[in-house]
Amino acid sequence: SAVISQKPSRDICQRGTSLTIQCQVDSQVTMMFWYRQQPGQSLTLIATANQGSEATYESGFVIDKFPISRPNLTFSTLTVSNMSPEDSSIYLCSVQELSNQPQHFGDGTRLSIL
Amino acid sequence: AQSVTQLGSHVSVSEGALVLLRCNYSSSVPPYLFWYVQYPNQGLQLLLKYTSAATLVKGINGFEAEFKKSETSFHLTKPSAHMSDAAEYFCAVSERSGNTPLVFGKGTRLSVIA
């Protein structure tokens, strides 16, 4: 299965600032996803990022707050903009190599906003 | 819309005892089903998957799950719990139709008592 690297692994940020999270895969994948896991909660899909097209956002998530780039088949970024304490979460990227294959996850980025 | 229900947010077992984590899904057609495990400060690791082959699926670390269409269930079991099994377990579902995001249950935290 694909090996997924996320950077940074954790960060503490000031409110009002922005942070860009990187997701690098060791092979070309069609589908990449970004999830948020709030403290003590399950995972919620933020958006689906396909190379060559705009990301598709889920209800409750908007591009201005969570801009996503997908410049090629091995890399994606998620930016958390104008952060507030409510954005303190774990952000995870995942990839799916084929439609009948499971998603594989990175180790996540643990973000705390002061 | 698909959904997943995990019964019991916290399950506690003695070391060496049977582990049973419950998952029921709601879908108009049998979906793909997955169990993931999340150890503290880590991302999600795939335990096992059901994608329409054998209904009894064996995964890593001695875990297995049985797909029961009549009960719309996909419960996770392990005959003998080990201390290292203490973690958060997530059941997830996706559609068979193509590259669709995962829908996660709320998770079950497994504690193993010595």
Side-chain angles (χ1 to χ4, degrees):
Chain A
S1 61
V3 176
I4 304 156
S5 300
Q6 261 189 256
K7 292 181 180 180
S9 59
R10 61 178 66 242
D11 207 341
I12 301 173
C13 301
Q14 298 295 320
R15 69 175 66 203
T17 62
S18 298
L19 178 74
T20 295
I21 302 168
Q22 298 179 4
C23 182
Q24 179 76 53
V25 191
D26 69 343
S27 59
Q28 294 185 335
V29 294
T30 304
M31 307 292 290
M32 294 184 78
F33 305 90
W34 286 99
Y35 291 84
R36 181 176 73 181
Q37 185 179 22
Q38 294 178 299
Q41 302 295 315
S42 186
L43 282 76
T44 301
L45 181 68
I46 297 172
T48 301
N50 294 335
Q51 193 266 338
S53 63
E54 295 291 323
T56 302
Y57 289 83
E58 297 299 303
S59 176
F61 297 96
V62 295
I63 187 172
D64 289 346
K65 176 67 175 178
F66 297 101
I68 288 171
S69 77
R70 180 79 199 273
N72 57 52
L73 291 173
T74 64
F75 188 77
S76 177
T77 66
L78 169 74
T79 299
V80 186
S81 303
N82 188 25
M83 290 184 286
S84 66
E86 293 71 33
D87 294 319
S88 296
S89 295
I90 302 172
Y91 293 87
L92 299 107
C93 74
S94 74
V95 305
Q96 186 175 24
E97 295 171 88
L98 294 171
S99 61
N100 65 345
Q101 294 298 310
Q103 289 182 29
H104 296 281
F105 287 79
D107 281 341
T109 295
R110 283 147 183 82
L111 183 57
S112 297
I113 315 304
L114 302 179
Chain B
Q2 293 178 318
S3 66
V4 173
T5 302
Q6 290 184 241
L7 295 177
S9 60
H10 185 204
V11 170
S12 184
V13 301
S14 298
E15 190 173 21
L18 171 71
V19 175
L20 172 60
L21 304 182
R22 300 178 186 274
C23 173
N24 288 88
Y25 68 90
S26 173
S27 176
S28 57
V29 296
Y32 292 151
L33 291 157
F34 309 89
W35 275 99
Y36 287 86
V37 60
Q38 186 177 33
Y39 298 102
N41 296 312
Q42 295 187 25
L44 271 69
Q45 180 181 7
L46 179 70
L47 273 178
L48 47 81
K49 62 182 180 182
Y50 168 76
T51 57
S52 82
T55 56
L56 181 62
V57 181
K58 294 188 184 298
I60 63 172
N61 302 339
F63 284 93
E64 63 181 37
E66 185 172 9
F67 172 72
K68 292 187 176 180
K69 182 179 177 180
S70 61
E71 300 178 7
T72 61
S73 68
F74 191 57
H75 302 331
L76 182 71
T77 60
K78 182 174 180 177
S80 177
H82 192 273
M83 298 296 290
S84 60
D85 294 326
E88 189 86 19
Y89 291 80
F90 293 96
C91 182
V93 62
S94 71
E95 294 180 7
R96 291 173 173 271
S97 59
N99 297 330
T100 57
L102 290 170
V103 175
F104 284 88
K106 292 185 180 298
T108 298
R109 181 158 53 93
L110 176 66
S111 297
V112 182
I113 304 168

